[in-house]
């Protein structure tokens, strides 16, 4: 499955930027934010690797370092393919003196440029990097325009690394969604079941640790939810409980995430908080099946 989905996402990541370029003259992989963040390249790389890593996840294959190396190779193939497809479609219109992208025209390889020679694939791309003006703008207002070989290579390298970063990012995001059960060689399932106010956290966790092995765990959970959470209450800062379980080896645990208000007055997850506790699979799964849609 990973091979099929990987090939599909690779094809899409190549075809889509080329199609956009043909119809709009806009090169996605060179779109950046704040002048140096290669947003377009990262997006293309993410699409490139998504199918491969998603296929591994759906096939319950543990995502390892070797798979990320394959992701790097896919990103390089994607980049070279986009560049070659662009070169293949690049023609020179003698009447308008413009570069056009078409399958029927006077191909750029029929021309020479001083200092670069015949416009082969490598010479043409080198010429573009070293001579294409780079425009810096903000809110549709041009701030500056730079055409410098050294600067052009720096921007090009940033864009190329952006595709690789985007591909690896897709793998990291998919891998980070679920824990892996090494006993069953499967990804565990996860289900959000309840939230509790941050202010009630200490009391809640104390009760949980004391009663977690109680044979009436399902009853206890119902009681503790009613005790610490008011239904319909909009929480400001809170703990979010996820049930993480493996159906094959019948193991389960609670994984809590902490969401707090930041200095920018936004509620975000506190990545430094980590609290997991093992629970009885049968009792907890029974509670989930009965009470969570």
């Amino acid at each position: 499955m990973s091979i099929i989905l990987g090939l599909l996402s690779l094809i899409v990541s190549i075809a889509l930027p080329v199609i956009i370029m043909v119809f709009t003259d806009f090169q996605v992989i060179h779109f950046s934010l704040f002048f140096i963040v290669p947003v377009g390249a990262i997006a293309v790389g993410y699409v490139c690797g998504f199918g491969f890593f998603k296929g591994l996840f759906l096939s319950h294959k543990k995502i390892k370092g070797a798979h990320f190396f394959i992701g790097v190779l896919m990103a390089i193939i994607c980049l070279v393919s986009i560049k070659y497809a662009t070169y293949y479609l690049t023609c020179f219109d003698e009447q308008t003196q413009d570069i056009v992208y078409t399958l029927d025209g006077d191909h750029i390889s029929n021309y020479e440029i001083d200092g670069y020679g015949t416009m082969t694939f490598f010479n043409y791309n080198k010429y573009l990097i070293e001579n294409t003006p780079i425009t810096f703008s903000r809110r549709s207002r041009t701030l500056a325009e730079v055409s410098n070989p050294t600067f052009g290579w720096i921007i090009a390298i940033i864009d190329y690394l952006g595709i690789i970063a985007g591909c690896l990012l897709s793998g990291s995001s998919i891998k980070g969604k679920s824990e892996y059960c090494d006993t069953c060689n499967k990804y565990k399932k996860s289900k959000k079941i309840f939230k509790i106010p941050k202010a009630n956290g200490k009391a809640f966790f104390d009760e949980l640790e004391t009663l977690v092995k109680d044979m009436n765990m399902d009853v206890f959970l119902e009681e503790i939810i009613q005790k610490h959470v008011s239904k319909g209450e909009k929480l400001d800062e809170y703990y979010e409980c996820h049930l993480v379980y493996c159906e094959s080896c019948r193991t389960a645990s609670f994984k809590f995430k902490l969401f707090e208000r930041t200095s920018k007055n936004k509620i975000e997850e506190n990545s430094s908080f980590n609290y997991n506790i093992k629970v009885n699979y049968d009792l907890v799964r029974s509670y989930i099946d009965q009470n969570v849609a």
Side-chain angles (χ1 to χ4, degrees), residues 113-174:
I113 295 180
D114 291 341
Y116 294 92
T118 303
M119 290 291 93
T120 62
F121 172 69
F122 293 103
N123 288 344
Y124 178 67
N125 279 283
K126 181 181 179 183
Y127 170 79
L128 288 181
I129 291 173
E130 295 181 351
N131 294 275
T132 300
I134 299 173
T135 302
F136 295 90
S137 60
R138 184 173 183 270
R139 295 179 181 178
S140 300
R141 183 168 62 89
T142 299
L143 300 179
E145 187 173 274
V146 179
S147 180
N148 177 276
T150 301
F151 190 74
W153 276 107
I154 292 174
I155 296 298
I157 291 172
I158 290 175
D159 290 341
Y160 301 161
L161 292 178
I163 293 182
I164 295 176
C167 191
L168 299 181
L169 179 63
S170 67
S172 297
S173 63
I174 292 173

Side-chain angles (χ1 to χ4, degrees), residues 16 115 118 186 205 244:
L16 193 57
T118 303
K186 289 183 177 181
F205 291 129
V244 181

